[in-house]
Amino acid sequence: MEPTRPVLSSKLWNTSPWGEGWHLPAPYRFLDLRGSHRQIGEALGLLGPPFRRPPWWPPPPDLAFAKACRQQVARWHPALLDEYEGYAAAQGLDPDFLWQQISRTFLRSRPFACSAVVWREPGGLWVGRNYDFRPVQQIRDLVRLWPRDGLASLGMMGSVPGGRYDGVNEAGLFVSLHAVMADTLPPRPGIPFHLIPRVLLERYRSAEEAVEALLRMPHILPMNVLVADPHRAYVVEVHPAVVAVRELEDGVLAVTNHYEHPMTRPFHGHRDLGSSVRRKERLERWVMMGSGSPRERLREALSDHEAPICGHRPGFTTLWSLIADLNHRRIEYALGFPCRAPFVMFPWPGG
């Protein structure tokens, strides 16, 4: 079977400040892929650089653990196994080796800095989100997928092949990941963290369905997962030992890199949560006390340098930002610092 080729929508870039075609500011790319998951995996393998384990990743687990994680993924979204078979074939990799690399059992100790907020206003729910990491992360692909076996989606992929850190699907569901530094148990097989958004975006249509899945799904690492649709929003605080859920309060729901729920907070131990708490409180203050349209409030919140929410330091750099109007199915990405980069609207997936 011939691998699918990236399909460029010229309409997508007619109003782009970067011009038409593939001319996004390096190292960002836009990939528009459709077909079976096997074909999508082959295309990702052909379009991407040779796979190398990034230096900030921890050593891989043993093969038995990776195979057990693959079995868990097969229960929740079996088509993803086909995608990784296609990617491995295109890259000339052993699929077992690939699963060992992506089944990460811990994150290196460092403060994380991703921030997001949901705000309910009379027209519906809006979401603002910043993704922060070190600039050494050079794979920053905005991917629109049209899988034959799943819902269409649009979102950002980083260093993990086939992974997703945030995005929306054709039904109006939004998902974003926020790493949490917490005490953990000896690792147990589960869904690799970067595949959680893929499972949710391709298989579920509402925030409530996504929450139900997260409550049943086996997890490897501590994470906050924000899920929202045009009507409801939740932060699911995931720990391998327990999963807790927070809901909108007074029309606002913010999430950064710490737990808030009494069931999960003890796992922080004695870690300093000051930066994460300041960002969460600053986001809430911006949307509740700011002025202007929802879009303008969110843009200003995501550009805040006091907490800071918009990061410019080498270890705390905002690599991309997004604003989504879930009720009217509109999403904009800023590729770079939200205080400087333009927010550009992208067609909603599946349209």
Side-chain angles (χ1 to χ4, degrees):
M1 181 179 296
E2 287 296 318
T4 187
R5 298 300 179 187
V7 180
L8 175 65
S9 171
S10 60
K11 180 176 66 173
L12 183 63
W13 301 112
N14 283 345
T15 59
S16 168
W18 309 298
E20 296 187 15
W22 294 95
H23 305 297
L24 277 70
Y28 301 91
R29 300 189 304 167
F30 175 77
L31 305 179
D32 194 1
L33 306 173
R34 66 185 71 207
S36 68
H37 278 83
R38 169 81 189 202
Q39 291 174 313
I40 288 171
E42 289 173 342
L44 288 172
L46 292 171
L47 291 166
F51 175 80
R52 298 287 186 273
R53 184 168 62 87
W56 61 89
W57 286 16
D62 61 48
L63 181 56
F65 185 92
K67 286 184 174 181
C69 291
R70 181 167 56 190
Q71 291 174 351
Q72 292 291 345
V73 175
R75 292 180 53 200
W76 286 88
H77 195 353
L80 289 177
L81 273 63
D82 296 332
E83 183 173 315
Y84 278 106
E85 289 287 335
Y87 179 88
Q91 288 264 321
L93 298 173
D94 180 345
D96 287 343
F97 167 83
L98 182 60
W99 277 98
Q100 279 187 275
Q101 306 308 306
I102 66 175
S103 300
R104 293 159 66 182
T105 57
F106 68 96
L107 300 172
R108 293 194 184 278
S109 295
R110 60 175 300 275
F112 297 101
C114 299
S115 310
V117 63
V118 179
W119 179 36
R120 185 190 299 281
E121 60 91 39
L125 291 185
W126 287 71
V127 180
R129 139 84 161 184
N130 281 359
Y131 174 86
D132 293 70
F133 199 68
R134 287 170 285 182
V136 69
Q137 179 180 312
Q138 290 297 296
I139 299 178
R140 309 174 196 174
D141 293 344
L142 179 57
V143 184
R144 185 164 62 170
L145 292 185
W146 310 71
R148 193 172 298 161
D149 183 20
L151 296 167
S153 65
L154 173 76
M156 289 296 297
M157 179 176 72
S159 302
V160 187
R164 201 72 77 248
Y165 294 124
D166 52 54
V168 293
N169 71 14
E170 62 181 282
L173 178 65
F174 171 87
V175 179
S176 65
L177 289 180
H178 303 257
V180 174
M181 291 306 302
D183 298 332
T184 59
L185 305 172
R188 295 177 296 181
I191 307 298
F193 75 92
H194 64 282
L195 291 182
I196 293 173
R198 288 291 306 275
V199 173
L200 299 180
L201 291 172
E202 294 183 17
R203 297 186 66 84
Y204 300 102
R205 308 185 69 90
S206 73
E208 288 188 334
E209 291 176 347
V211 169
E212 176 60 27
L214 288 164
L215 288 170
R216 295 185 293 114
M217 187 181 293
H219 300 284
I220 306 173
L221 295 170
M223 288 279 157
N224 283 331
V225 186
L226 174 62
V227 297
D229 63 27
H231 309 291
R232 297 175 181 84
Y234 306 91
V235 171
V236 183
E237 299 186 349
V238 166
H239 188 276
V242 66
V243 179
V245 181
R246 294 194 290 118
E247 303 183 34
L248 280 165
E249 293 184 12
D250 299 322
V252 177
L253 182 63
V255 56
T256 49
N257 305 102
H258 67 280
Y259 293 138
E260 290 269 318
H261 196 282
M263 291 174 59
T264 49
R265 252 189 106 77
F267 290 106
H268 284 305
H270 299 291
R271 291 176 175 84
D272 180 7
L273 307 178
S275 171
S276 184
V277 172
R278 284 193 299 273
R279 284 182 284 116
K280 175 182 178 291
E281 293 176 347
R282 188 72 174 161
L283 281 172
E284 293 169 338
R285 192 175 306 123
W286 266 111
V287 297
M288 295 180 72
M289 307 299 293
S291 60
S293 67
R295 179 187 181 278
E296 185 60 23
R297 287 197 199 188
L298 288 171
R299 189 194 66 78
E300 291 180 355
L302 297 171
S303 301
D304 174 84
H305 294 132
E306 182 175 316
I309 297 166
C310 179
H312 291 256
R313 298 193 297 272
F316 174 58
T317 299
T318 301
L319 300 185
W320 66 77
S321 183
L322 71 86
I323 295 173
D325 175 357
L326 300 182
N327 190 48
H328 295 96
R329 308 289 176 91
R330 298 180 184 136
I331 186 166
E332 302 173 70
Y333 273 93
L335 304 180
F337 304 122
C339 65
R340 300 177 187 172
F343 279 86
V344 177
M345 188 171 295
F346 290 80
W348 198 267

